[in-house]
Amino acid sequence: MSKGTLFDKVWDLHTVGILPSGQTQLFIGLHLIHEVTSPQAFAMLRERGLKVLFPDRTVATVDHIVPTENQARPFVDVLAEEMMQALENSCKEYGIPFYNIGSGDQGIVHIIAPEQGLTQPGMTVACGDSHTSTHGAFGAIAFGIGTSQVRDVLASQTLALSKLKVRKIEVNGDLKPGVYAKDVILHIIRTLGVKGGVGFAYEFAGTTFERMSMEERMTVCNMSIEGGARCGYINPDETTYEYLKGRDFAPKEGDWEQAVSWWNGIKSDRDAEYDDIVTFAASEIPPTVTWGITPGQGIGIDESIPTPESLAEGDRDIAEEAYKYMKLDPGVPIQGTKVDVCFVGSCTNGRISDLREAAKFAKGHQVANGVKAFVVPGSERVKKEAEAEGLHHIFLEAGFEWREAGCSMCLAMNPDKLQGDQISASSSNRNFKGRQGSSTGRTLLMSPAMVVAAAINGTVTDVRKML
Amino acid sequence: MSEVKTISGRGIPLKGNDIDTDRIIPARFLRCVTFDGLGEQVFADDRQQTNGEHPFDQPQYQGANILIANGNFGCGSSREHAPQALLRWGIQTIIGESFAEIFLGNCVALGIPCVIATPKIIAQLQAKLTESPKTTISVNLENKEVRCDDLTVPVQIGEGIRQMFLTGKWDSCGQLTANAEQVKTTAANLPYIAWAS
């Protein structure tokens, strides 16, 4: 049993009581909702005649279904339009703040909450989206939940949960040039497996994470769920406080000192006890790319697609399934694999620093013939900031499309989709079968820099060659 | 809410590890404001690609209510649409080697117990149901057992969750809303609540 970790402290502070089932009733400090997983929750509230207990602790936006080209209302997709209206009406009815398209504040839910300072250390955060783990970057405990649980949070501002174990994942040292936060988390998942984290919260610790910016930390925590861990977090520090200070919802002048002192108090103690500890050396992490149909099927850019014999017995069946689906052969180097579509964006890698890094590699180059490449800022604010810096000119001149904010082709619930068995180089988080909108579409996950390198060369490329 | 003690009926084997919720219900079917109709779309892409050979299409498994899955079932997206689609197709309980956490929680909220058995037992059950699809199978939460024809095997389920099913308290909403006063007290003790105002 863990003791003295940030997870333990935040859990205890938010415990309302123990339910007859033995589960904990946990207070949720920040509830984020979007158009896909909330309409049915509001319907359940109406059905049971329940109110929203803390309407000012829920914040809504639209991201999944939003078209990134033509955003004129009503949407061309009538089903998407219906979902939009359902959310608009529910927010109005229950008095929930809503950041709609064109407000200047709309965007992917996991991007807008941090950028507005809504996400803070020591909070519990819940959202009907598995990538809610992103908010753990601030030292918050953040859970992805289903629609019935969205109903529970709306009605009671709490969830019924069983306490998780805590695994400390320590990574120390400097990352080599061309290696990014995305590579770190892909490497961790590759090593610990996609179900290695089931039952655990991941605490990411060590000098590598300490030296990361908040946006890099968000990329890491975002993909905790791909390793099976429902939440992942990093202890707050000066980097966290510096990022937060002055943001819209951050504590103001009079409260700031008290906030910092409280935040410092909820960090994991030096002598905290963990259920498990795993360590990595940053110097051993290569630019990493997935070749298969789970985020755990990753390899270093210099490696070949693994042969069945090289894999643990339990990983062979899913590898066989992956060779077939991906139409890739074992033993063949991943570098040089031809790509059709290149996508920079998503809640994993759609922030300003991601776009800056992508632009650095796009500058002065041209997208290869026959490759469709596009950049989707994670929020309206990210878009505005990127345009103020002229990043959109760099992308457009290089042959990338420049879009409006949304989830886009990460999950393809909107018009951005793969066609047939196209291969995409994608800065998103999931390479599941059919994930990007075509039932035979293929996804290679990688950092935004590597996506740009692939777009320019038309093939999977080691970004270090372009440094 | 009703008590869930034993679920009996016919089984449907679905082989494969890491079957994610995008496969259970592809994202395009999430463009809806109710869960109605999701039952027909369960495993839509997998079924389309297997031309009628997917267990959810095979005539011998129509009417089955107990799904036998392998490891890490339901991983990925938190979409409750996945267990909703399985439920609406007719699945009432799932026996698997392991389950992804969010999926398992969503199943509890819908009254679908997920029980865990060893890989060897899962292989035995899947083989039996492949050979004789009409075999009767039952999941007993009281003694944590699965019976399938002449086979009786142990299964696991978290004790708290098991009690929720046995006592009919698997829908947490009523319990959570009953404690509104304690919730407000907990909130009042969290300093950040005041910073926001």
Side-chain angles (χ1 to χ4, degrees):
Chain A
M1 273 272 275
S2 63
K3 209 174 135 191
T5 68
L6 178 143
F7 183 84
D8 291 283
K9 296 182 193 185
V10 173
W11 185 274
D12 290 346
L13 285 166
H14 290 79
T15 295
V16 174
I18 305 298
L19 297 164
S21 64
Q23 286 188 304
T24 301
Q25 180 171 9
L26 198 73
F27 181 77
I28 298 302
L30 175 64
H31 183 213
L32 305 167
I33 59 171
H34 59 83
E35 75 284 10
V36 179
T37 57
S38 67
Q40 295 90 340
F42 284 112
M44 293 176 196
L45 282 191
R46 289 184 192 111
E47 209 173 281
R48 297 185 188 212
L50 295 166
K51 296 260 173 292
V52 177
L53 191 63
F54 285 77
D56 54 344
R57 300 218 70 84
T58 291
V59 169
T61 192
V62 278
D63 50 11
H64 287 62
I65 56 153
V66 169
T68 62
E69 280 185 300
N70 175 12
Q71 297 192 320
R73 299 284 300 277
F75 291 151
V76 176
D77 178 348
V78 292
L79 296 175
E81 178 60 30
E82 191 185 0
M83 295 173 81
M84 240 346 243
Q85 289 181 13
L87 185 62
E88 286 169 335
N89 294 337
S90 294
C91 287
K92 199 179 285 176
E93 181 182 342
Y94 292 100
I96 293 167
F98 175 46
Y99 297 108
N100 206 343
I101 295 170
S103 63
D105 298 322
Q106 172 268 342
I108 306 175
V109 66
H110 309 308
I111 294 193
I112 71 158
E115 78 186 0
Q116 297 187 23
L118 284 161
T119 308
Q120 296 168 18
M123 274 185 175
T124 45
V125 182
C127 174
D129 188 284
S130 61
H131 293 111
T132 306
S133 57
T134 310
H135 306 268
F138 290 80
I141 300 303
F143 298 105
I145 56 176
T147 297
S148 295
Q149 290 173 311
V150 172
R151 169 204 65 200
D152 290 353
V153 180
L154 288 170
S156 72
Q157 203 60 36
T158 62
L159 284 170
L161 291 169
S162 300
K163 198 174 176 190
L164 298 168
K165 294 183 280 184
V166 185
R167 173 181 290 144
K168 182 175 174 176
I169 298 181
E170 207 176 308
V171 185
N172 289 304
D174 288 320
L175 294 170
K176 293 198 167 152
V179 180
Y180 297 93
K182 181 66 160 284
D183 301 303
V184 175
I185 189 63
L186 285 174
H187 184 79
I188 290 170
I189 298 167
R190 168 194 184 179
T191 311
L192 301 179
V194 288
K195 58 182 175 195
V198 173
F200 285 96
Y202 277 174
E203 175 178 306
F204 299 103
T207 55
T208 310
F209 300 117
E210 286 164 17
R211 288 168 201 163
M212 280 186 183
S213 69
M214 284 316 293
E215 297 197 347
E216 292 173 302
R217 294 178 189 186
M218 285 186 244
T219 299
V220 171
C221 291
N222 173 274
M223 289 188 70
S224 304
I225 186 66
E226 310 311 333
R230 194 167 187 179
C231 64
Y233 67 88
I234 294 173
N235 280 298
D237 59 11
E238 288 307 317
T239 305
T240 321
Y241 310 153
E242 204 174 297
Y243 176 95
L244 270 169
K245 199 160 191 182
R247 291 190 184 261
D248 314 54
F249 293 95
K252 298 287 174 294
E253 215 36 60
D255 294 323
W256 182 258
E257 296 293 311
Q258 193 207 347
V260 169
S261 133
W262 190 70
W263 293 339
N264 281 327
I266 52 105
K267 288 185 200 182
S268 293
D269 295 333
R270 272 174 205 284
D271 60 353
E273 290 168 27
Y274 295 87
D275 298 285
D276 191 30
I277 298 178
V278 184
T279 53
F280 294 89
S283 60
E284 286 167 12
I285 301 175
T288 301
V289 48
T290 65
W291 63 271
I293 53 172
T294 82
Q297 291 176 316
I299 50 176
I301 186 69
D302 286 331
E303 293 176 55
S304 297
I305 293 160
T307 56
E309 310 80 69
S310 70
L311 296 167
E313 211 182 315
D315 294 334
R316 288 180 195 165
D317 285 350
I318 190 83
E320 293 289 353
E321 212 178 319
Y323 302 140
K324 203 171 139 206
Y325 183 83
M326 297 298 290
K327 301 175 187 160
L328 294 173
D329 295 321
V332 175
I334 191 73
Q335 257 189 89
T337 305
K338 205 180 154 309
V339 299
D340 305 297
V341 178
C342 293
F343 167 57
V344 175
S346 83
C347 60
T348 313
N349 283 124
R351 298 184 179 78
I352 188 69
S353 58
D354 298 311
L355 304 195
R356 285 184 192 134
E357 200 60 29
K360 218 156 82 182
F361 291 93
K363 194 170 187 171
H365 293 280
Q366 277 301 313
V367 170
N369 277 338
V371 172
K372 175 189 172 70
F374 61 117
V375 181
V376 185
S379 71
E380 291 182 347
R381 288 193 188 186
V382 170
K383 180 166 191 260
K384 195 174 165 195
E385 199 173 354
E387 289 179 350
E389 294 176 21
L391 301 184
H392 62 312
H393 291 308
I394 296 175
F395 290 124
L396 289 166
E397 278 161 24
F400 287 82
E401 294 171 36
W402 176 248
R403 300 288 189 84
E404 304 292 337
C407 296
S408 183
M409 211 180 67
C410 175
L411 89 168
M413 274 192 72
N414 45 70
D416 303 336
K417 291 180 172 70
L418 292 180
Q419 304 294 327
D421 68 353
Q422 282 182 324
I423 296 195
S424 84
S426 181
S427 73
S428 55
N429 42 55
R430 289 192 172 131
N431 51 347
F432 298 152
K433 288 180 176 179
R435 171 75 179 181
Q436 292 191 296
S438 161
S439 61
T440 49
R442 297 171 287 169
T443 304
L444 308 175
L445 302 175
M446 59 189 82
S447 69
M450 289 264 285
V451 171
V452 172
I456 289 160
N457 292 287
T459 58
V460 175
T461 302
D462 187 344
V463 73
R464 293 172 299 190
K465 290 177 183 163
M466 294 175 68
L467 290 173
Chain B
M1 288 297 140
S2 54
E3 295 168 3
V4 182
K5 292 181 174 169
T6 300
I7 295 166
S8 305
R10 288 195 292 110
I12 172 169
L14 181 69
K15 290 184 184 167
N17 287 320
D18 305 316
I19 292 182
D20 57 76
T21 53
D22 272 88
R23 281 173 68 187
I24 298 174
I25 186 83
R28 64 181 178 279
F29 298 117
L30 271 52
R31 286 155 50 249
C32 55
V33 293
T34 73
F35 292 122
D36 305 339
L38 288 179
E40 289 157 35
Q41 294 149 349
V42 69
F43 292 110
D45 289 345
D46 283 7
R47 288 162 75 177
Q48 187 222 329
Q49 278 161 30
T50 42
N51 300 318
E53 293 304 305
H54 192 279
F56 278 71
D57 282 326
Q58 288 173 321
Q60 64 268 38
Y61 298 119
Q62 300 310 303
N65 58 341
I66 301 177
L67 176 64
I68 295 93
N70 294 97
N72 202 26
F73 188 76
C75 60
S77 162
S78 62
R79 58 189 72 166
E80 187 174 302
H81 305 66
Q84 290 276 4
L86 289 167
L87 179 70
R88 279 151 210 272
W89 188 86
I91 299 300
Q92 294 175 308
T93 180
I94 311 175
I95 312 168
E97 290 173 30
S98 63
F99 296 92
E101 226 155 279
I102 303 177
F103 177 82
L104 191 144
N106 287 340
C107 284
V108 173
L110 301 186
I112 306 171
C114 295
V115 298
I116 294 173
T118 62
K120 195 179 152 199
I121 288 174
I122 295 291
Q124 279 178 314
L125 293 173
Q126 288 180 335
K128 221 173 218 331
L129 292 165
T130 307
E131 273 167 39
S132 7
K134 301 291 175 201
T135 310
T136 309
I137 177 167
S138 68
V139 177
N140 183 328
L141 296 181
E142 285 183 293
N143 54 16
K144 295 189 270 185
E145 254 175 24
V146 167
R147 276 185 194 213
C148 183
D149 197 11
D150 55 349
L151 196 70
T152 302
V153 290
V155 291
Q156 294 174 358
I157 178 168
E159 188 50 30
I161 291 173
R162 188 174 82 103
Q163 289 303 332
M164 289 161 82
F165 283 116
L166 293 179
T167 56
K169 289 179 180 153
W170 45 268
D171 180 343
S172 48
C173 193
Q175 298 167 49
L176 296 176
T177 48
N179 300 332
E181 285 317 307
Q182 291 101 302
V183 173
K184 286 176 185 165
T185 308
T186 305
N189 288 326
L190 291 164
Y192 66 78
I193 302 286
W195 302 332
S197 58

